[in-house]
Amino acid sequence: MLSEQLHAWVNLLTTWLALGLLLMVFLVTVAAMVLWVQDRYFQKAHAIRRNYPLIGRFRYFFEHIGEFFRQYFFAMDREELPFNRAQRSWVYRAAKDLSNTVAFGTTKQNAAGRIVFLNTPYPTLEKDAAETLPLMIGPHADQPFVARSFHNISAMSFGALSTPAVRALSRGAGQAGCWLNTGEGGLTEMHLEGHCDLVFQIGTAYYGVRDQEGNLSDEKLREVARLQSVKMFEIKLSQGAKPGKGGILPAEKVTPDIARIRGIPVGQASVSPNGQPGIRSAGDLLDMIERVRRVTGKPTGIKTVIGSWQWLEELFMEIHERGLESAPDFITVDSGDGGTGAAPMSLMDDVGLNLAESLPLVVDLRDGFALQDRIRIIASGKLITPSMVAWAIAIGADFCVSARGYMFALGCIQAMQCNRNTCPTGVTTHNPRLQRGLVPSEKGARVAHFHANLVKEVETIAHACGVGEPRQLRRHHARMVNANGDSMPLEELWPPIEPGLYLRQGRPSLHAPFARFRVGA
């Protein structure tokens, strides 16, 4: 009896499945015919679809999935841009606190631009190695900041980042002992959760510290400065993703929380001015720095992408006229080759100097104007691996910051969806379903692991070069490979400048070519 009932049930199920399949085939056929007719006779915008109706639509599908196939199946470990698989894999393993040893030799090409550090037969022994000491920023501020780490988390705004991402970064920075830059989107309760050191960024729209008319508010600056976690203020002149253009947050990302924190309407695109409205000269910039430092009592500096450089000469000369206390406490030098922000390709690709050229330029100008003990240099731009961080310090940076390195630590897979609110790992989306995948407690620990392992390996490079800690690295400790495969010492590519040289001999732009800044060269 049971067998007959089961047989009848199977027959009924088979019949329904067959009918369902026929119905699906019918509907697909009808849909295909409708799309064919629409492509062939009605739409006029796409030539491919008009000449090859229906089939032409597959072009867009393959174009969309092609980037993912290239990433996982076709690109070699060191071929992808902006970060290749080898770089990402290093960060992932460091964030998971796994071994980063490799076997059978390097896959790194001896290509132009590669940095090679010069080891010594007498490396610094572990028992003699010095712990990297904290470094003070802002000695003339009422509350100077003693920064504990030479590697820190760069500016990423709440809005560009999701709620769980900011929470995880705050927790990770607190565990690691590094600072977290808020980005221009304002300060949130999520930034404060991890009890980490914070750098409050003042963007061109003054989000978080603006009055009802959109002007910079001293009262709101004081409110932010009262928070013990906020250690410094950074005035953003420009950023690597889009030098010459303000921050861009698409309308779909402007949620009620983001609108409240920024002081803007809900659901409207947030586009900041393309420059600081009240700053048009070196004097204006120093006035702004002095205002923020006086109101807040905390170190105040600037962030910029370097293009033209004469304005830095004018700034440094103005500082000497006013007195050293008027100087910015730090300058964050951002690379002109892109960043986490959404940006026009023309700006991301073709405006602003790469950090490899701009960092030594700024360091040499600072030193040539005898400001090396007054202004700290913070390097920003693709500094996610130990070799690049060690290079920046050897060139003369006092600190390094990274945004995308810590995004990888959060689980970013370089899906290139940051500006679409569709980030599959929950890092840059405000879709609750996608945010669910990012657990702050778990990812916060990975941020801390990434920081610890990065610092450890930078120290390992320093010890191999025979110095006690990374800040003792100098340009003579490394060489750069040139186009013909040979290498040149960094101290020949960028000869160190004698402190105060430009005060005695005048502005370098009046005497020397841009590439070297050597007076009389």
Coordinates of all heavy atoms in Angstrom, one line a residue, residues 272-354:
S272 N 31.8 67.9 -0.7 CA 32.5 68.9 -0.1 C 33.1 69.9 -1.1 O 33.4 69.5 -2.2 CB 33.7 68.4 0.8 OG 33.2 67.4 1.7
P273 N 33.4 71.2 -0.7 CA 34.1 72.1 -1.5 C 35.4 71.5 -2.0 O 36.0 70.7 -1.2 CB 34.2 73.4 -0.7 CG 33.2 73.3 0.4 CD 33.0 71.8 0.6
N274 N 36.0 72.0 -3.1 CA 37.2 71.4 -3.6 C 38.4 72.0 -3.0 O 39.6 71.7 -3.4 CB 37.3 71.6 -5.1 CG 37.3 73.0 -5.6 OD1 36.8 73.9 -4.9 ND2 37.9 73.2 -6.7
G275 N 38.3 72.9 -2.0 CA 39.4 73.4 -1.2 C 38.9 74.1 0.0 O 37.7 74.3 0.2
Q276 N 39.8 74.4 0.9 CA 39.4 75.1 2.2 C 38.9 76.5 1.8 O 39.7 77.3 1.2 CB 40.6 75.2 3.1 CG 41.0 73.9 3.8 CD 40.0 73.5 4.9 OE1 39.2 74.3 5.4 NE2 40.0 72.2 5.2
P277 N 37.7 76.9 2.1 CA 37.1 78.2 1.5 C 37.9 79.4 1.9 O 38.0 80.3 1.2 CB 35.7 78.2 2.2 CG 35.4 76.7 2.4 CD 36.7 76.1 2.8
G278 N 38.4 79.4 3.2 CA 39.1 80.7 3.6 C 40.6 80.7 3.5 O 41.2 81.6 4.1
I279 N 41.2 79.7 2.8 CA 42.6 79.6 2.7 C 43.0 79.9 1.3 O 42.8 79.0 0.4 CB 43.1 78.3 3.2 CG1 42.7 78.1 4.7 CG2 44.6 78.2 3.1 CD1 43.1 76.7 5.3
R280 N 43.7 81.0 1.1 CA 44.2 81.3 -0.3 C 45.7 81.7 -0.3 O 46.2 82.1 -1.3 CB 43.4 82.5 -0.8 CG 41.9 82.2 -0.9 CD 41.4 81.7 -2.3 NE 41.9 80.4 -2.6 CZ 41.3 79.3 -2.4 NH1 40.1 79.3 -1.7 NH2 41.8 78.1 -2.7
S281 N 46.3 81.6 0.8 CA 47.8 81.9 0.9 C 48.4 81.3 2.1 O 47.7 80.7 2.9 CB 47.9 83.5 1.0 OG 47.4 83.9 2.3
A282 N 49.7 81.4 2.1 CA 50.5 80.8 3.3 C 50.0 81.5 4.6 O 49.9 80.8 5.6 CB 52.0 81.0 3.1
G283 N 49.8 82.8 4.5 CA 49.3 83.5 5.7 C 48.0 83.0 6.2 O 47.8 82.8 7.4
D284 N 47.1 82.8 5.2 CA 45.7 82.3 5.6 C 45.9 80.9 6.2 O 45.1 80.6 7.2 CB 44.9 82.2 4.3 CG 44.5 83.5 3.7 OD1 44.6 84.5 4.5 OD2 44.1 83.5 2.6
L285 N 46.7 80.0 5.7 CA 46.9 78.7 6.2 C 47.4 78.7 7.6 O 46.9 78.0 8.5 CB 47.8 77.9 5.3 CG 48.0 76.4 5.7 CD1 46.8 75.6 5.9 CD2 48.9 75.7 4.6
L286 N 48.4 79.5 7.9 CA 49.0 79.6 9.2 C 48.0 80.2 10.2 O 47.9 79.8 11.4 CB 50.3 80.4 9.2 CG 51.5 79.8 8.5 CD1 52.7 80.7 8.5 CD2 51.8 78.4 9.1
D287 N 47.2 81.2 9.7 CA 46.1 81.7 10.6 C 45.1 80.6 11.0 O 44.7 80.6 12.1 CB 45.4 82.8 9.8 CG 46.2 84.1 9.7 OD1 47.2 84.2 10.4 OD2 45.9 84.9 8.8
M288 N 44.7 79.8 10.0 CA 43.8 78.7 10.3 C 44.4 77.7 11.3 O 43.7 77.3 12.2 CB 43.4 78.0 9.0 CG 42.6 76.8 9.1 SD 40.9 77.2 9.5 CE 40.1 75.7 8.9
I289 N 45.6 77.3 11.1 CA 46.3 76.4 12.0 C 46.3 77.0 13.4 O 46.0 76.3 14.4 CB 47.7 76.1 11.5 CG1 47.7 75.3 10.2 CG2 48.5 75.3 12.5 CD1 49.0 75.2 9.4
E290 N 46.7 78.3 13.5 CA 46.8 78.9 14.8 C 45.4 79.0 15.5 O 45.3 78.8 16.7 CB 47.4 80.3 14.6 CG 47.4 81.1 15.9 CD 48.2 80.4 17.1 OE1 49.1 79.6 16.8 OE2 47.8 80.6 18.2
R291 N 44.4 79.2 14.7 CA 43.0 79.3 15.2 C 42.6 78.0 15.8 O 42.1 77.9 17.0 CB 42.0 79.7 14.1 CG 40.6 79.7 14.6 CD 39.6 80.0 13.4 NE 38.2 79.9 13.8 CZ 37.2 80.0 13.0 NH1 37.4 80.2 11.7 NH2 36.0 79.8 13.4
V292 N 42.8 76.9 15.1 CA 42.4 75.6 15.5 C 43.2 75.2 16.8 O 42.7 74.7 17.8 CB 42.5 74.5 14.4 CG1 42.2 73.1 15.0 CG2 41.6 74.9 13.3
R293 N 44.5 75.4 16.7 CA 45.4 75.1 17.8 C 45.0 75.9 19.1 O 45.0 75.4 20.2 CB 46.8 75.2 17.5 CG 47.8 74.7 18.5 CD 49.2 74.6 17.9 NE 49.6 75.7 17.1 CZ 50.3 75.7 16.0 NH1 50.7 74.5 15.5 NH2 50.6 76.8 15.3
R294 N 44.7 77.2 18.9 CA 44.4 78.0 20.1 C 43.1 77.6 20.7 O 42.9 77.5 21.9 CB 44.4 79.5 19.6 CG 43.8 80.4 20.7 CD 43.9 81.9 20.2 NE 43.3 82.0 18.8 CZ 42.0 82.0 18.6 NH1 41.1 82.0 19.6 NH2 41.6 82.2 17.3
V295 N 42.1 77.3 19.8 CA 40.7 77.0 20.3 C 40.7 75.6 21.0 O 40.1 75.4 22.1 CB 39.7 77.0 19.2 CG1 38.4 76.4 19.6 CG2 39.5 78.4 18.7
T296 N 41.5 74.6 20.4 CA 41.4 73.3 20.9 C 42.5 73.0 21.9 O 42.4 72.1 22.8 CB 41.6 72.3 19.8 OG1 42.9 72.4 19.2 CG2 40.5 72.5 18.7
G297 N 43.6 73.7 21.9 CA 44.8 73.4 22.8 C 45.5 72.2 22.4 O 46.4 71.7 23.1
K298 N 45.3 71.7 21.1 CA 45.9 70.4 20.7 C 46.7 70.6 19.4 O 46.4 71.5 18.7 CB 44.9 69.3 20.6 CG 44.2 69.1 22.0 CD 43.2 67.9 22.0 CE 42.7 67.7 23.4 NZ 41.8 66.5 23.5
P299 N 47.7 69.7 19.2 CA 48.5 69.8 18.0 C 47.6 69.8 16.7 O 46.6 69.1 16.6 CB 49.3 68.5 18.0 CG 49.4 68.2 19.4 CD 48.1 68.5 20.0
T300 N 48.0 70.7 15.8 CA 47.2 70.9 14.6 C 48.2 70.9 13.4 O 49.2 71.5 13.4 CB 46.5 72.2 14.6 OG1 45.6 72.3 15.8 CG2 45.6 72.4 13.4
G301 N 47.8 70.1 12.3 CA 48.6 70.0 11.1 C 47.8 70.0 9.9 O 46.6 70.3 9.9
I302 N 48.4 69.7 8.8 CA 47.7 69.7 7.5 C 47.9 68.4 6.7 O 48.9 67.7 7.0 CB 48.1 70.9 6.6 CG1 49.7 70.8 6.3 CG2 47.8 72.2 7.3 CD1 50.2 71.8 5.3
K303 N 47.0 68.1 5.8 CA 47.1 66.9 4.9 C 47.0 67.4 3.5 O 46.1 68.2 3.2 CB 46.0 65.9 5.2 CG 46.1 64.7 4.2 CD 45.0 63.7 4.5 CE 45.1 62.5 3.5 NZ 44.1 61.5 3.8
T304 N 47.9 67.0 2.7 CA 47.9 67.5 1.3 C 48.6 66.5 0.3 O 49.4 65.7 0.7 CB 48.6 68.8 1.2 OG1 48.5 69.4 -0.1 CG2 50.1 68.7 1.6
V305 N 48.1 66.5 -0.9 CA 48.8 65.9 -2.0 C 49.7 66.9 -2.6 O 49.3 68.1 -2.8 CB 47.8 65.4 -3.1 CG1 48.6 64.8 -4.3 CG2 46.9 64.4 -2.5
I306 N 51.0 66.6 -2.9 CA 51.9 67.5 -3.5 C 51.8 67.5 -5.0 O 51.9 66.5 -5.6 CB 53.4 67.2 -3.0 CG1 53.5 67.2 -1.5 CG2 54.4 68.2 -3.6 CD1 53.1 68.5 -0.8
G307 N 51.7 68.7 -5.5 CA 51.8 68.9 -7.0 C 52.8 70.0 -7.2 O 54.0 69.7 -7.2
S308 N 52.4 71.2 -7.2 CA 53.3 72.3 -7.2 C 53.9 72.4 -5.8 O 53.3 71.9 -4.8 CB 52.6 73.7 -7.5 OG 51.6 73.9 -6.5
W309 N 55.1 72.9 -5.7 CA 55.8 72.9 -4.4 C 56.2 74.3 -3.9 O 56.6 74.5 -2.8 CB 57.1 72.0 -4.5 CG 58.1 72.6 -5.4 CD1 59.2 73.3 -5.0 CD2 58.2 72.5 -6.8 NE1 60.0 73.7 -6.1 CE2 59.4 73.2 -7.2 CE3 57.4 71.9 -7.8 CZ2 59.7 73.3 -8.6 CZ3 57.8 72.0 -9.1 CH2 58.9 72.7 -9.5
Q310 N 56.1 75.3 -4.8 CA 56.5 76.6 -4.4 C 55.7 77.1 -3.1 O 56.2 77.9 -2.3 CB 56.3 77.6 -5.5 CG 57.4 77.4 -6.6 CD 56.9 76.4 -7.7 OE1 55.9 75.7 -7.5 NE2 57.7 76.3 -8.7
W311 N 54.5 76.7 -3.0 CA 53.7 77.1 -1.9 C 54.3 76.7 -0.5 O 54.1 77.3 0.5 CB 52.2 76.6 -2.0 CG 52.1 75.1 -1.9 CD1 52.2 74.2 -2.8 CD2 51.7 74.5 -0.6 NE1 51.9 72.9 -2.3 CE2 51.7 73.1 -1.0 CE3 51.5 74.8 0.7 CZ2 51.4 72.1 0.0 CZ3 51.2 73.9 1.6 CH2 51.1 72.5 1.3
L312 N 55.0 75.5 -0.6 CA 55.6 75.0 0.6 C 56.8 75.9 1.0 O 57.0 76.2 2.2 CB 56.1 73.6 0.5 CG 55.1 72.5 0.6 CD1 55.6 71.1 0.2 CD2 54.6 72.4 2.1
E313 N 57.5 76.4 0.0 CA 58.6 77.3 0.3 C 58.1 78.6 0.9 O 58.6 79.1 1.9 CB 59.3 77.7 -1.0 CG 60.0 76.5 -1.7 CD 60.6 76.9 -3.1 OE1 60.0 77.7 -3.8 OE2 61.6 76.3 -3.4
E314 N 57.0 79.1 0.4 CA 56.4 80.3 0.9 C 55.9 80.1 2.3 O 56.0 80.9 3.2 CB 55.2 80.8 0.0 CG 55.7 81.2 -1.4 CD 54.5 81.3 -2.4 OE1 53.4 81.1 -1.9 OE2 54.8 81.6 -3.6
L315 N 55.3 78.9 2.6 CA 54.8 78.6 3.9 C 56.0 78.5 4.9 O 55.9 79.1 6.0 CB 54.1 77.2 3.9 CG 53.5 76.7 5.2 CD1 52.4 77.6 5.6 CD2 53.1 75.2 5.1
F316 N 57.0 77.9 4.5 CA 58.2 77.7 5.5 C 58.8 79.1 5.7 O 59.3 79.4 6.8 CB 59.2 76.7 4.9 CG 58.6 75.3 4.9 CD1 59.2 74.4 4.0 CD2 57.6 74.9 5.7 CE1 58.7 73.1 4.0 CE2 57.1 73.6 5.7 CZ 57.7 72.7 4.8
M317 N 58.9 79.9 4.7 CA 59.5 81.3 4.9 C 58.6 82.1 5.8 O 59.1 82.9 6.6 CB 59.7 81.9 3.5 CG 60.9 81.3 2.7 SD 61.3 82.3 1.3 CE 59.8 82.2 0.3
E318 N 57.3 82.0 5.6 CA 56.3 82.7 6.4 C 56.4 82.3 7.9 O 56.3 83.1 8.8 CB 54.9 82.5 5.9 CG 53.8 83.2 6.7 CD 53.7 84.7 6.4 OE1 54.4 85.2 5.4 OE2 53.0 85.4 7.1
I319 N 56.7 81.0 8.1 CA 56.9 80.5 9.5 C 58.0 81.1 10.1 O 58.0 81.6 11.3 CB 57.1 78.9 9.4 CG1 55.7 78.2 9.1 CG2 57.6 78.4 10.8 CD1 55.9 76.8 8.7
H320 N 59.1 81.3 9.4 CA 60.3 81.9 10.0 C 60.1 83.4 10.3 O 60.7 84.0 11.2 CB 61.5 81.7 9.1 CG 62.1 80.4 9.3 ND1 62.9 80.0 10.3 CD2 62.1 79.3 8.4 CE1 63.3 78.7 10.2 NE2 62.8 78.3 9.0
E321 N 59.2 84.0 9.5 CA 58.9 85.4 9.8 C 58.0 85.6 11.0 O 58.2 86.5 11.8 CB 58.2 86.1 8.6 CG 59.1 86.3 7.4 CD 58.4 86.9 6.2 OE1 57.2 87.5 6.5 OE2 58.9 87.0 5.1
R322 N 57.1 84.6 11.2 CA 56.2 84.7 12.3 C 56.8 84.1 13.6 O 56.4 84.5 14.7 CB 54.9 84.0 12.0 CG 54.1 84.6 10.9 CD 52.7 83.9 10.8 NE 51.9 84.5 9.8 CZ 50.6 84.4 9.7 NH1 49.9 83.7 10.7 NH2 49.9 84.9 8.7
G323 N 57.6 83.1 13.5 CA 58.2 82.4 14.6 C 57.8 80.9 14.5 O 56.8 80.5 14.0
L324 N 58.7 80.0 15.0 CA 58.5 78.6 14.9 C 57.2 78.1 15.5 O 56.7 77.1 15.1 CB 59.7 77.9 15.5 CG 61.1 78.1 14.8 CD1 62.1 77.2 15.5 CD2 61.0 77.8 13.3
E325 N 56.7 78.8 16.5 CA 55.5 78.3 17.2 C 54.3 78.4 16.2 O 53.2 77.7 16.4 CB 55.2 79.1 18.4 CG 54.8 80.6 18.2 CD 56.1 81.5 18.0 OE1 57.2 80.9 18.0 OE2 55.9 82.7 17.8
S326 N 54.4 79.2 15.1 CA 53.3 79.3 14.2 C 53.2 78.1 13.2 O 52.2 78.0 12.4 CB 53.4 80.6 13.4 OG 54.6 80.5 12.5
A327 N 54.2 77.3 13.1 CA 54.3 76.2 12.1 C 53.2 75.1 12.4 O 52.8 74.9 13.5 CB 55.6 75.5 12.2
P328 N 52.8 74.4 11.3 CA 51.9 73.3 11.6 C 52.7 72.2 12.3 O 53.9 72.1 12.1 CB 51.6 72.8 10.1 CG 52.7 73.3 9.3 CD 53.1 74.6 9.9
D329 N 52.1 71.5 13.2 CA 52.8 70.5 14.0 C 53.1 69.3 13.2 O 54.0 68.6 13.6 CB 51.9 70.1 15.2 CG 51.7 71.3 16.2 OD1 52.7 71.9 16.6 OD2 50.5 71.7 16.4
F330 N 52.4 69.1 12.1 CA 52.7 68.0 11.3 C 52.2 68.2 9.9 O 51.3 69.1 9.7 CB 52.2 66.6 11.8 CG 50.6 66.6 11.9 CD1 49.9 66.2 10.8 CD2 50.0 67.0 13.0 CE1 48.5 66.2 10.9 CE2 48.6 67.0 13.1 CZ 47.9 66.6 12.1
I331 N 52.8 67.6 8.9 CA 52.3 67.6 7.5 C 52.1 66.2 7.1 O 53.1 65.4 7.1 CB 53.3 68.3 6.6 CG1 53.4 69.8 7.0 CG2 52.8 68.2 5.1 CD1 54.5 70.5 6.1
T332 N 50.9 65.8 6.7 CA 50.6 64.5 6.1 C 50.7 64.6 4.6 O 50.0 65.3 4.0 CB 49.2 64.0 6.5 OG1 49.1 64.0 7.9 CG2 49.0 62.6 5.9
V333 N 51.7 63.9 4.1 CA 51.9 63.9 2.6 C 51.2 62.7 2.0 O 51.6 61.5 2.2 CB 53.5 63.8 2.3 CG1 53.7 63.9 0.8 CG2 54.2 64.9 3.1
D334 N 50.2 62.9 1.2 CA 49.4 61.9 0.6 C 49.9 61.6 -0.8 O 50.1 62.6 -1.5 CB 47.9 62.2 0.7 CG 47.0 61.0 0.6 OD1 47.6 59.9 0.6 OD2 45.8 61.1 0.5
S335 N 49.9 60.4 -1.2 CA 50.3 60.1 -2.6 C 49.2 60.4 -3.5 O 48.0 60.3 -3.2 CB 50.7 58.6 -2.7 OG 51.2 58.3 -3.9
G336 N 49.6 60.8 -4.7 CA 48.6 61.2 -5.7 C 48.0 60.1 -6.6 O 47.4 60.4 -7.6
D337 N 48.2 58.9 -6.2 CA 47.8 57.7 -7.0 C 46.6 57.0 -6.5 O 46.4 55.8 -6.7 CB 48.9 56.7 -7.2 CG 49.5 56.2 -5.9 OD1 49.1 56.8 -4.8 OD2 50.3 55.3 -5.9
G338 N 45.7 57.8 -5.8 CA 44.4 57.2 -5.4 C 44.3 56.9 -4.0 O 45.3 57.0 -3.2
G339 N 43.1 56.4 -3.6 CA 42.9 56.1 -2.2 C 41.5 55.5 -2.1 O 41.0 55.0 -3.0
T340 N 41.0 55.4 -0.8 CA 39.8 54.7 -0.6 C 38.6 55.5 -1.1 O 37.5 54.9 -1.3 CB 39.6 54.5 0.9 OG1 39.6 55.8 1.6 CG2 40.7 53.7 1.5
G341 N 38.7 56.8 -1.4 CA 37.5 57.5 -1.7 C 37.1 57.3 -3.2 O 37.9 57.0 -4.1
A342 N 35.8 57.6 -3.4 CA 35.3 57.6 -4.8 C 35.8 58.9 -5.5 O 35.7 59.9 -4.9 CB 33.8 57.5 -4.8
A343 N 36.3 58.7 -6.7 CA 36.9 59.9 -7.4 C 36.8 59.8 -8.9 O 36.8 58.7 -9.4 CB 38.3 60.0 -6.9
P344 N 36.8 60.9 -9.6 CA 36.9 60.9 -11.0 C 38.2 60.3 -11.4 O 39.3 60.6 -10.8 CB 36.9 62.4 -11.4 CG 36.2 63.1 -10.2 CD 36.6 62.3 -9.0
M345 N 38.2 59.5 -12.5 CA 39.4 58.8 -12.9 C 40.5 59.8 -13.3 O 41.7 59.6 -13.1 CB 39.1 57.9 -14.1 CG 40.3 57.0 -14.5 SD 39.9 55.9 -15.9 CE 38.9 54.7 -15.1
S346 N 40.1 60.9 -13.9 CA 41.1 61.9 -14.4 C 41.9 62.4 -13.2 O 43.1 62.7 -13.4 CB 40.4 63.0 -15.1 OG 39.4 63.7 -14.3
L347 N 41.3 62.6 -12.0 CA 42.1 63.1 -10.9 C 42.9 61.9 -10.2 O 44.0 62.1 -9.9 CB 41.1 63.7 -9.8 CG 40.3 64.9 -10.3 CD1 39.5 65.4 -9.1 CD2 41.3 66.0 -10.7
M348 N 42.3 60.8 -10.1 CA 42.9 59.7 -9.5 C 44.1 59.2 -10.3 O 45.2 58.9 -9.7 CB 42.0 58.5 -9.3 CG 42.5 57.3 -8.5 SD 41.3 56.0 -8.1 CE 40.3 56.8 -6.9
D349 N 44.0 59.2 -11.6 CA 45.1 58.7 -12.5 C 46.2 59.7 -12.7 O 47.4 59.4 -12.9 CB 44.5 58.2 -13.8 CG 43.8 56.9 -13.7 OD1 43.8 56.3 -12.6 OD2 43.2 56.5 -14.7
D350 N 45.8 61.0 -12.9 CA 46.7 61.9 -13.6 C 47.0 63.2 -12.8 O 47.6 64.2 -13.4 CB 46.1 62.3 -14.9 CG 45.9 61.0 -15.8 OD1 46.8 60.2 -15.8 OD2 44.8 60.9 -16.3
V351 N 46.6 63.4 -11.6 CA 46.8 64.6 -10.8 C 47.5 64.3 -9.5 O 47.1 63.4 -8.8 CB 45.5 65.4 -10.6 CG1 45.8 66.7 -9.8 CG2 44.8 65.8 -11.9
G352 N 48.6 65.0 -9.2 CA 49.3 64.8 -8.0 C 50.5 63.9 -8.1 O 50.5 62.9 -8.9
L353 N 51.6 64.2 -7.4 CA 52.8 63.4 -7.4 C 52.6 62.1 -6.6 O 52.0 62.1 -5.5 CB 54.0 64.2 -6.9 CG 54.4 65.4 -7.7 CD1 55.6 66.1 -7.0 CD2 54.9 64.9 -9.1
N354 N 53.3 61.1 -7.1 CA 53.3 59.8 -6.3 C 54.2 60.1 -5.1 O 55.1 60.9 -5.1 CB 53.9 58.7 -7.2 CG 53.9 57.4 -6.5 OD1 54.7 57.1 -5.7 ND2 53.0 56.5 -7.0

